[in-house]
Amino acid sequence: MSVDSVTELWTNERNWFGGWRNVSLQFWRSTVTIADLEASTSALQSLARKHGGPMVSFSVLGSDGMPRLGEEERKRAIELVQKTAPSMRIGVQVIEGTGFVASLLRSVVSGVNMFNRSPTKVFANVEDAVRFLVSGRYVECTEAELTAIVESTRKRWSERWLRR
C-alpha cells in the first residue's frame, strides 16, 4: 500500500516517528530513552503491517541524541533492535555533525547494528543516505522526493516543538 501523505504515529519534543510510502521516518533530538526505543519499534511494526511488508527505516539523529544506557537498558535496546527485523527491509541512520563526537557516535551505532538481523548503514548526512536508498532501489521514489519529505517533515516537527 502506498500513501503519498506522511503519517505521524508518535511525536514529542525529543523525537518524531511516522511513515511515507515504504519508508519509516524517525527524527531524534536529545538523549534517547528506552521508552523512545519502545515507541520507535511499535511505530515501525505498525507501518510494516499497514504497508503489507517490511519498511525502509530512515532515522536522523543529532550527535547529542544517542542513548546513555546502563547494562539492563542496553540489553533491552538490543532486544528491540532484533525485534524490528521482520518489519525492516533495511535501516539507515544519519548521525549529523562533524568532529570526534559525531564520528564516535556513528561508530557506536554501527556496533549496535551488528545485532540487527536486517542490513543497516550509518551516514553523516541526509543526502548520502537518500542517494544510497534510491540507487539501491530500496525506496519507491526519487532522490528529490525523499529529500523533500525528510526535510519538510523534520522542519514541521521542529517548528511545532520550538513554538511551545
Side-chain angles (χ1 to χ4, degrees), residues 61-146:
L61 304 89
S63 58
D64 63 342
M66 296 308 300
R68 294 179 184 98
L69 306 174
E71 188 59 31
E72 288 303 312
E73 290 89 356
R74 258 191 296 278
K75 287 179 183 175
R76 182 64 181 142
I78 289 169
E79 288 173 10
L80 290 170
V81 164
Q82 293 172 338
K83 187 177 178 180
T84 63
S87 301
M88 188 169 67
R89 181 175 178 202
I90 189 168
V92 298
Q93 294 93 18
V94 177
I95 301 175
E96 298 176 313
T98 59
F100 176 74
V101 172
S103 179
L104 175 65
L105 292 174
R106 283 189 284 276
S107 295
V108 168
V109 169
S110 293
V112 171
N113 283 342
M114 292 187 325
F115 295 99
N116 199 325
R117 294 182 190 121
S118 300
T120 58
K121 194 159 173 68
V122 178
F123 295 90
N125 60 66
V126 169
E127 295 79 18
D128 289 345
V130 166
R131 191 174 307 111
F132 169 79
L133 290 172
V134 172
S135 68
R137 298 183 182 191
Y138 294 106
V139 291
E140 303 163 352
C141 61
T142 66
E143 283 184 38
E145 289 172 319
L146 184 54

Coordinates of all heavy atoms in Angstrom, one line a residue, residues 61-146:
L61 N 19.5 11.5 13.5 CA 19.8 11.7 14.9 C 20.8 12.9 15.0 O 21.8 12.9 14.2 CB 20.4 10.5 15.5 CG 19.7 9.2 15.5 CD1 20.0 8.4 14.3 CD2 20.0 8.4 16.7
G62 N 20.6 13.8 15.9 CA 21.6 14.8 16.2 C 22.8 14.1 17.0 O 22.6 13.0 17.6
S63 N 23.9 14.6 16.9 CA 25.1 14.0 17.6 C 25.0 14.0 19.1 O 25.8 13.4 19.8 CB 26.4 14.6 17.1 OG 26.4 16.0 17.4
D64 N 24.0 14.7 19.6 CA 23.8 14.6 21.1 C 22.6 13.7 21.4 O 22.2 13.7 22.6 CB 23.5 16.0 21.6 CG 22.3 16.7 21.1 OD1 21.8 16.2 20.0 OD2 21.8 17.6 21.7
G65 N 22.0 13.0 20.4 CA 20.8 12.3 20.6 C 21.0 10.8 20.9 O 20.1 10.0 20.8
M66 N 22.2 10.4 21.3 CA 22.5 9.0 21.5 C 22.2 8.5 22.9 O 22.3 9.3 23.8 CB 23.9 8.6 21.1 CG 24.2 8.9 19.7 SD 23.1 8.1 18.6 CE 23.3 6.4 19.0
P67 N 21.8 7.3 23.1 CA 21.4 6.8 24.4 C 22.6 6.7 25.3 O 23.7 6.4 24.9 CB 20.8 5.4 24.2 CG 21.3 5.0 22.8 CD 21.6 6.3 22.1
R68 N 22.4 7.0 26.6 CA 23.4 6.8 27.6 C 22.7 5.7 28.5 O 22.0 6.1 29.5 CB 23.7 8.1 28.4 CG 24.4 9.1 27.5 CD 24.7 10.4 28.3 NE 25.2 11.3 27.4 CZ 24.6 12.3 26.8 NH1 23.3 12.4 27.0 NH2 25.2 13.2 26.0
L69 N 22.9 4.5 28.2 CA 22.2 3.4 28.8 C 23.0 2.5 29.7 O 24.2 2.2 29.3 CB 21.5 2.5 27.7 CG 20.7 3.2 26.7 CD1 20.3 2.2 25.6 CD2 19.5 3.9 27.3
G70 N 22.5 2.1 30.8 CA 23.1 1.1 31.6 C 23.0 -0.3 31.0 O 22.4 -0.5 29.9
E71 N 23.5 -1.3 31.7 CA 23.6 -2.7 31.2 C 22.2 -3.2 30.9 O 22.0 -3.8 29.8 CB 24.3 -3.6 32.2 CG 24.5 -5.0 31.6 CD 25.4 -5.0 30.3 OE1 26.2 -4.1 30.1 OE2 25.1 -5.9 29.5
E72 N 21.2 -3.1 31.8 CA 19.9 -3.6 31.5 C 19.2 -2.8 30.3 O 18.5 -3.5 29.5 CB 19.0 -3.4 32.8 CG 19.3 -4.4 33.9 CD 19.3 -5.8 33.4 OE1 18.3 -6.2 32.8 OE2 20.2 -6.6 33.7
E73 N 19.4 -1.5 30.3 CA 18.8 -0.8 29.1 C 19.5 -1.2 27.8 O 18.8 -1.3 26.8 CB 19.0 0.7 29.4 CG 18.2 1.3 30.5 CD 18.8 1.2 31.8 OE1 20.0 0.7 31.9 OE2 18.2 1.7 32.8
R74 N 20.8 -1.4 27.8 CA 21.5 -1.9 26.6 C 20.9 -3.2 26.1 O 20.7 -3.4 25.0 CB 23.0 -2.0 26.9 CG 23.8 -0.8 26.3 CD 25.3 -1.1 26.4 NE 25.8 -1.3 27.7 CZ 26.2 -0.3 28.5 NH1 26.0 0.9 28.2 NH2 26.7 -0.6 29.7
K75 N 20.7 -4.1 27.1 CA 20.1 -5.4 26.7 C 18.8 -5.3 26.1 O 18.4 -5.9 25.1 CB 20.0 -6.3 28.0 CG 21.4 -6.9 28.4 CD 21.2 -7.7 29.7 CE 22.5 -8.2 30.2 NZ 22.4 -9.0 31.5
R76 N 17.9 -4.4 26.7 CA 16.6 -4.2 26.1 C 16.7 -3.5 24.8 O 15.9 -3.8 23.9 CB 15.8 -3.3 27.1 CG 14.4 -3.0 26.6 CD 13.6 -4.3 26.5 NE 12.2 -4.1 26.1 CZ 11.6 -4.9 25.2 NH1 12.1 -6.0 24.8 NH2 10.4 -4.5 24.8
A77 N 17.6 -2.6 24.6 CA 17.8 -1.9 23.3 C 18.2 -2.9 22.2 O 17.6 -2.9 21.1 CB 18.9 -0.8 23.4
I78 N 19.0 -3.9 22.6 CA 19.4 -4.9 21.6 C 18.2 -5.8 21.3 O 18.0 -6.2 20.1 CB 20.6 -5.7 22.1 CG1 21.9 -4.9 22.1 CG2 20.8 -7.0 21.3 CD1 23.1 -5.5 22.8
E79 N 17.4 -6.2 22.3 CA 16.2 -6.9 22.1 C 15.3 -6.2 21.1 O 14.7 -6.8 20.2 CB 15.4 -7.2 23.4 CG 16.1 -8.1 24.3 CD 15.3 -8.2 25.7 OE1 14.2 -7.6 25.8 OE2 15.9 -8.8 26.6
L80 N 15.1 -4.9 21.3 CA 14.2 -4.1 20.4 C 14.8 -4.1 19.0 O 14.0 -4.2 18.0 CB 14.0 -2.7 21.0 CG 13.2 -2.7 22.3 CD1 13.2 -1.3 22.9 CD2 11.7 -3.1 22.0
V81 N 16.1 -3.9 18.9 CA 16.7 -3.9 17.5 C 16.4 -5.2 16.8 O 16.0 -5.3 15.7 CB 18.2 -3.6 17.6 CG1 18.9 -4.0 16.3 CG2 18.4 -2.2 18.0
Q82 N 16.6 -6.3 17.6 CA 16.3 -7.7 17.0 C 14.8 -7.9 16.7 O 14.5 -8.5 15.7 CB 16.8 -8.8 17.9 CG 18.3 -8.7 18.0 CD 18.9 -9.7 19.0 OE1 18.2 -10.0 20.0 NE2 20.2 -10.0 18.9
K83 N 14.0 -7.3 17.5 CA 12.5 -7.4 17.3 C 12.0 -6.7 16.0 O 11.0 -7.1 15.5 CB 11.8 -6.8 18.5 CG 10.3 -7.0 18.6 CD 9.8 -6.4 19.9 CE 8.3 -6.6 20.0 NZ 7.8 -6.0 21.3
T84 N 12.7 -5.7 15.6 CA 12.3 -5.0 14.4 C 12.6 -5.7 13.1 O 12.1 -5.3 12.0 CB 13.0 -3.6 14.3 OG1 14.4 -3.7 14.2 CG2 12.6 -2.7 15.5
A85 N 13.5 -6.7 13.1 CA 14.0 -7.4 11.9 C 12.9 -7.8 10.9 O 13.0 -7.5 9.7 CB 14.8 -8.6 12.2
P86 N 11.8 -8.4 11.3 CA 10.7 -8.8 10.3 C 10.0 -7.6 9.7 O 9.5 -7.7 8.6 CB 9.7 -9.6 11.2 CG 10.5 -10.0 12.4 CD 11.5 -9.0 12.7
S87 N 10.1 -6.4 10.4 CA 9.4 -5.2 9.9 C 10.3 -4.3 9.1 O 9.8 -3.3 8.5 CB 8.8 -4.5 11.1 OG 7.9 -5.2 11.8
M88 N 11.6 -4.6 9.0 CA 12.5 -3.7 8.4 C 13.3 -4.4 7.2 O 14.0 -5.4 7.4 CB 13.5 -3.2 9.4 CG 14.4 -2.1 8.9 SD 15.4 -1.3 10.2 CE 16.5 -2.6 10.7
R89 N 13.2 -3.8 6.0 CA 13.9 -4.3 4.9 C 15.4 -3.9 5.0 O 16.3 -4.7 4.7 CB 13.3 -3.7 3.6 CG 14.0 -4.1 2.4 CD 13.3 -3.6 1.1 NE 14.0 -4.0 0.0 CZ 13.9 -3.4 -1.2 NH1 13.1 -2.4 -1.4 NH2 14.6 -3.9 -2.2
I90 N 15.6 -2.6 5.3 CA 16.9 -2.1 5.5 C 16.8 -0.9 6.4 O 15.8 -0.2 6.4 CB 17.6 -1.7 4.2 CG1 19.1 -1.4 4.4 CG2 16.9 -0.6 3.5 CD1 19.9 -1.3 3.1
G91 N 17.8 -0.6 7.2 CA 17.8 0.6 8.0 C 19.0 1.5 7.8 O 20.1 1.0 7.6
V92 N 18.7 2.8 7.7 CA 19.8 3.8 7.6 C 19.7 4.7 8.8 O 18.5 5.1 9.1 CB 19.9 4.5 6.3 CG1 20.1 3.5 5.1 CG2 18.6 5.3 6.0
Q93 N 20.8 5.1 9.4 CA 20.8 6.1 10.4 C 21.7 7.2 10.0 O 22.9 6.9 9.5 CB 21.3 5.5 11.7 CG 20.4 4.5 12.4 CD 20.8 3.1 12.0 OE1 21.8 2.8 11.5 NE2 19.8 2.2 12.1
V94 N 21.2 8.4 10.0 CA 22.0 9.6 9.8 C 22.4 10.2 11.1 O 21.4 10.6 11.8 CB 21.3 10.6 8.8 CG1 22.1 11.8 8.6 CG2 20.9 9.9 7.5
I95 N 23.6 10.3 11.4 CA 24.1 11.0 12.6 C 24.8 12.2 12.1 O 26.0 12.1 11.7 CB 24.9 10.1 13.5 CG1 24.2 8.9 13.9 CG2 25.4 10.9 14.7 CD1 24.9 7.8 14.7
E96 N 24.1 13.3 12.2 CA 24.6 14.6 11.7 C 25.7 15.1 12.6 O 25.7 14.9 13.8 CB 23.5 15.6 11.5 CG 22.5 15.1 10.5 CD 21.3 16.0 10.3 OE1 20.8 16.4 11.3 OE2 21.0 16.3 9.1
G97 N 26.6 15.9 12.1 CA 27.6 16.5 12.9 C 29.0 16.1 12.4 O 29.2 15.2 11.6
T98 N 29.9 16.9 12.8 CA 31.3 16.7 12.4 C 32.2 16.6 13.7 O 31.7 16.9 14.8 CB 31.9 17.9 11.5 OG1 31.8 19.1 12.3 CG2 31.1 18.0 10.2
G99 N 33.4 16.2 13.5 CA 34.3 16.1 14.6 C 34.2 14.7 15.3 O 33.6 13.8 14.9
F100 N 34.9 14.7 16.4 CA 35.2 13.5 17.2 C 33.9 12.8 17.7 O 33.6 11.6 17.5 CB 36.2 13.7 18.3 CG 36.4 12.5 19.1 CD1 37.1 11.4 18.7 CD2 35.8 12.4 20.4 CE1 37.3 10.3 19.5 CE2 36.0 11.3 21.2 CZ 36.7 10.2 20.7
V101 N 33.0 13.6 18.3 CA 31.8 13.1 19.0 C 30.9 12.5 18.0 O 30.4 11.3 18.1 CB 31.1 14.2 19.8 CG1 29.7 13.7 20.3 CG2 32.0 14.6 21.0
A102 N 30.6 13.2 16.9 CA 29.8 12.6 15.8 C 30.3 11.4 15.2 O 29.6 10.4 15.0 CB 29.5 13.7 14.8
S103 N 31.6 11.4 15.0 CA 32.3 10.2 14.4 C 32.2 9.0 15.4 O 31.9 7.9 15.0 CB 33.7 10.5 14.1 OG 34.4 9.4 13.6
L104 N 32.4 9.3 16.7 CA 32.4 8.2 17.7 C 30.9 7.7 17.8 O 30.7 6.4 17.8 CB 32.8 8.8 19.1 CG 32.6 7.8 20.2 CD1 33.6 6.7 20.1 CD2 32.9 8.6 21.5
L105 N 29.9 8.5 17.7 CA 28.6 8.1 17.8 C 28.2 7.2 16.6 O 27.5 6.2 16.7 CB 27.6 9.2 17.9 CG 27.7 10.0 19.3 CD1 26.9 11.2 19.3 CD2 27.4 9.0 20.4
R106 N 28.7 7.6 15.4 CA 28.4 6.7 14.2 C 29.1 5.4 14.4 O 28.5 4.3 14.0 CB 29.0 7.4 13.0 CG 28.1 8.6 12.5 CD 28.5 9.1 11.1 NE 29.6 10.0 11.1 CZ 29.6 11.3 11.4 NH1 28.5 11.9 11.7 NH2 30.7 11.9 11.4
S107 N 30.2 5.3 15.0 CA 30.9 4.0 15.3 C 30.1 3.2 16.3 O 29.9 2.0 16.2 CB 32.3 4.2 15.8 OG 33.1 4.8 14.9
V108 N 29.6 3.9 17.4 CA 28.7 3.2 18.4 C 27.5 2.6 17.7 O 27.1 1.4 17.9 CB 28.4 4.1 19.5 CG1 27.3 3.5 20.4 CG2 29.6 4.5 20.3
V109 N 26.8 3.4 16.9 CA 25.6 2.9 16.3 C 25.9 1.7 15.3 O 25.2 0.8 15.3 CB 24.9 4.1 15.5 CG1 23.8 3.5 14.6 CG2 24.3 5.0 16.5
S110 N 27.0 1.8 14.6 CA 27.4 0.7 13.7 C 27.6 -0.6 14.5 O 27.3 -1.6 14.1 CB 28.7 1.1 13.0 OG 28.4 2.1 12.1
G111 N 28.2 -0.4 15.7 CA 28.4 -1.6 16.6 C 27.1 -2.2 17.1 O 26.9 -3.4 17.1
V112 N 26.1 -1.3 17.5 CA 24.8 -1.8 17.9 C 24.1 -2.5 16.7 O 23.4 -3.5 16.9 CB 23.9 -0.7 18.5 CG1 22.5 -1.1 18.7 CG2 24.5 -0.2 19.8
N113 N 24.3 -2.0 15.5 CA 23.7 -2.5 14.3 C 24.1 -4.0 14.0 O 23.5 -4.7 13.3 CB 24.0 -1.6 13.1 CG 23.1 -0.4 13.1 OD1 22.1 -0.3 13.8 ND2 23.5 0.6 12.3
M114 N 25.3 -4.4 14.6 CA 25.7 -5.7 14.4 C 24.7 -6.7 14.9 O 24.7 -7.9 14.5 CB 27.1 -6.0 15.0 CG 28.2 -5.2 14.3 SD 29.9 -5.6 14.9 CE 29.7 -5.8 16.7
F115 N 23.9 -6.3 15.9 CA 22.9 -7.2 16.5 C 21.6 -7.2 15.6 O 20.7 -8.0 15.9 CB 22.6 -6.8 17.9 CG 23.7 -7.0 18.8 CD1 24.5 -5.9 19.1 CD2 24.1 -8.2 19.3 CE1 25.6 -6.0 20.0 CE2 25.2 -8.3 20.1 CZ 26.0 -7.2 20.5
N116 N 21.5 -6.4 14.6 CA 20.3 -6.3 13.8 C 20.3 -7.4 12.7 O 21.4 -7.6 12.1 CB 20.2 -4.9 13.2 CG 18.8 -4.6 12.7 OD1 18.1 -5.5 12.3 ND2 18.4 -3.4 12.8
R117 N 19.3 -8.1 12.5 CA 19.2 -9.1 11.5 C 18.9 -8.6 10.1 O 19.1 -9.3 9.1 CB 18.1 -10.1 11.9 CG 18.4 -10.9 13.1 CD 17.3 -11.9 13.4 NE 17.6 -12.5 14.8 CZ 16.7 -12.4 15.8 NH1 15.5 -11.8 15.6 NH2 17.0 -12.9 16.9
S118 N 18.6 -7.3 10.1 CA 18.3 -6.6 8.8 C 19.6 -5.8 8.4 O 20.3 -5.4 9.3 CB 17.2 -5.7 8.9 OG 16.0 -6.4 9.2
P119 N 19.8 -5.6 7.2 CA 21.0 -4.8 6.8 C 20.8 -3.3 7.3 O 19.7 -2.8 7.3 CB 21.1 -4.9 5.3 CG 19.7 -5.4 4.8 CD 19.1 -6.1 6.0
T120 N 21.9 -2.7 7.7 CA 21.9 -1.4 8.2 C 23.1 -0.6 7.7 O 24.2 -1.3 7.4 CB 21.9 -1.3 9.7 OG1 23.0 -2.0 10.2 CG2 20.6 -1.9 10.3
K121 N 23.0 0.7 7.7 CA 24.2 1.5 7.2 C 24.0 2.9 7.9 O 22.9 3.4 8.1 CB 24.2 1.7 5.7 CG 25.4 2.2 5.2 CD 25.5 1.8 3.7 CE 26.7 2.5 3.0 NZ 28.0 2.0 3.4
V122 N 25.2 3.4 8.3 CA 25.2 4.7 9.0 C 25.8 5.7 8.1 O 26.8 5.5 7.5 CB 26.0 4.6 10.4 CG1 26.1 5.9 11.1 CG2 25.4 3.5 11.3
F123 N 25.2 6.9 8.1 CA 25.7 8.0 7.3 C 25.9 9.3 8.1 O 25.3 9.4 9.2 CB 24.7 8.3 6.2 CG 24.5 7.2 5.2 CD1 23.6 6.2 5.4 CD2 25.3 7.2 4.1 CE1 23.4 5.2 4.5 CE2 25.1 6.1 3.2 CZ 24.2 5.1 3.4
A124 N 26.7 10.2 7.6 CA 26.9 11.5 8.2 C 26.0 12.6 7.8 O 25.9 13.7 8.4 CB 28.4 12.0 8.0
N125 N 25.2 12.4 6.7 CA 24.3 13.4 6.2 C 23.1 12.7 5.4 O 23.2 11.6 5.0 CB 25.0 14.4 5.3 CG 25.6 13.8 4.1 OD1 25.0 13.3 3.2 ND2 27.0 13.9 4.1
V126 N 22.0 13.5 5.4 CA 20.8 13.0 4.7 C 21.0 12.7 3.2 O 20.6 11.7 2.7 CB 19.7 14.0 4.9 CG1 18.5 13.7 4.0 CG2 19.3 14.1 6.4
E127 N 21.8 13.6 2.6 CA 22.0 13.4 1.1 C 22.6 12.1 0.8 O 22.1 11.4 -0.2 CB 22.9 14.6 0.6 CG 22.2 15.9 0.7 CD 22.3 16.5 2.1 OE1 23.2 16.1 2.9 OE2 21.6 17.5 2.4
D128 N 23.6 11.7 1.5 CA 24.3 10.4 1.2 C 23.3 9.2 1.5 O 23.3 8.2 0.7 CB 25.6 10.2 2.0 CG 26.7 11.1 1.5 OD1 26.6 11.7 0.4 OD2 27.7 11.3 2.3
A129 N 22.6 9.3 2.6 CA 21.6 8.2 2.9 C 20.5 8.1 1.8 O 20.2 7.0 1.4 CB 21.0 8.5 4.2
V130 N 20.0 9.2 1.4 CA 19.0 9.2 0.3 C 19.6 8.7 -1.0 O 18.9 7.8 -1.6 CB 18.4 10.7 0.1 CG1 17.6 10.8 -1.2 CG2 17.6 11.1 1.3
R131 N 20.7 9.1 -1.4 CA 21.4 8.6 -2.6 C 21.5 7.1 -2.5 O 21.2 6.3 -3.5 CB 22.7 9.3 -2.8 CG 23.3 9.0 -4.1 CD 24.6 9.8 -4.4 NE 24.4 11.3 -4.1 CZ 24.9 11.9 -3.1 NH1 25.7 11.3 -2.2 NH2 24.7 13.2 -2.9
F132 N 22.0 6.5 -1.4 CA 22.2 5.1 -1.2 C 20.8 4.4 -1.3 O 20.8 3.3 -2.0 CB 22.8 4.9 0.2 CG 22.7 3.4 0.6 CD1 23.7 2.5 0.1 CD2 21.8 2.9 1.5 CE1 23.7 1.2 0.5 CE2 21.8 1.6 1.9 CZ 22.7 0.7 1.4
L133 N 19.8 4.9 -0.7 CA 18.5 4.2 -0.7 C 17.9 4.2 -2.1 O 17.3 3.2 -2.6 CB 17.5 4.8 0.2 CG 17.8 4.6 1.7 CD1 16.9 5.4 2.6 CD2 17.7 3.1 2.1
V134 N 18.0 5.3 -2.8 CA 17.4 5.4 -4.2 C 18.3 4.6 -5.2 O 17.7 3.8 -6.0 CB 17.3 6.9 -4.6 CG1 16.9 7.0 -6.1 CG2 16.3 7.6 -3.8
S135 N 19.6 4.7 -5.1 CA 20.4 3.9 -6.1 C 20.3 2.4 -5.8 O 20.4 1.6 -6.8 CB 21.9 4.4 -6.0 OG 22.4 4.0 -4.8
G136 N 20.0 2.0 -4.6 CA 19.9 0.6 -4.3 C 18.4 0.1 -4.5 O 18.1 -1.1 -4.3
R137 N 17.6 1.0 -4.9 CA 16.2 0.7 -5.2 C 15.4 0.1 -4.0 O 14.5 -0.7 -4.1 CB 16.0 -0.2 -6.4 CG 16.6 0.4 -7.7 CD 16.4 -0.5 -8.9 NE 17.0 0.2 -10.0 CZ 16.9 -0.1 -11.2 NH1 16.2 -1.2 -11.5 NH2 17.5 0.6 -12.2
Y138 N 15.8 0.7 -2.8 CA 15.1 0.3 -1.6 C 13.8 1.1 -1.4 O 12.9 0.6 -0.7 CB 16.0 0.5 -0.4 CG 17.2 -0.4 -0.4 CD1 18.5 0.1 -0.7 CD2 17.1 -1.7 -0.1 CE1 19.6 -0.7 -0.7 CE2 18.2 -2.5 -0.1 CZ 19.5 -2.0 -0.4 OH 20.6 -2.8 -0.3
V139 N 13.7 2.3 -2.0 CA 12.6 3.1 -1.8 C 11.8 3.3 -3.1 O 12.4 3.2 -4.2 CB 13.0 4.5 -1.3 CG1 13.5 4.4 0.2 CG2 14.1 5.2 -2.1
E140 N 10.6 3.7 -3.0 CA 9.7 3.8 -4.1 C 9.5 5.3 -4.5 O 8.4 5.8 -4.5 CB 8.3 3.2 -3.8 CG 8.4 1.8 -3.3 CD 7.2 1.3 -2.6 OE1 6.3 2.1 -2.2 OE2 7.1 0.1 -2.3
C141 N 10.7 6.0 -4.8 CA 10.6 7.4 -5.0 C 12.0 7.8 -5.6 O 12.9 7.1 -5.7 CB 10.3 8.2 -3.8 SG 11.6 7.9 -2.5
T142 N 12.0 9.1 -5.9 CA 13.3 9.7 -6.4 C 14.0 10.3 -5.3 O 13.5 10.5 -4.2 CB 13.0 10.8 -7.5 OG1 12.3 11.9 -6.8 CG2 12.1 10.3 -8.6
E143 N 15.3 10.7 -5.5 CA 16.1 11.4 -4.5 C 15.4 12.7 -4.1 O 15.3 13.0 -2.9 CB 17.5 11.7 -5.1 CG 18.4 10.5 -5.1 CD 19.8 10.8 -5.5 OE1 20.3 11.9 -5.1 OE2 20.4 10.0 -6.2
A144 N 14.9 13.4 -5.1 CA 14.3 14.7 -4.8 C 13.1 14.5 -3.9 O 12.8 15.3 -3.0 CB 13.9 15.5 -6.1
E145 N 12.2 13.5 -4.2 CA 11.0 13.3 -3.4 C 11.4 12.9 -2.0 O 10.8 13.5 -1.0 CB 10.2 12.2 -4.0 CG 9.5 12.6 -5.3 CD 8.8 11.4 -6.0 OE1 9.4 10.3 -6.0 OE2 7.7 11.5 -6.5
L146 N 12.3 12.0 -1.8 CA 12.6 11.6 -0.4 C 13.3 12.7 0.3 O 13.0 12.9 1.5 CB 13.5 10.3 -0.5 CG 13.9 9.7 0.9 CD1 12.6 9.4 1.7 CD2 14.7 8.4 0.7

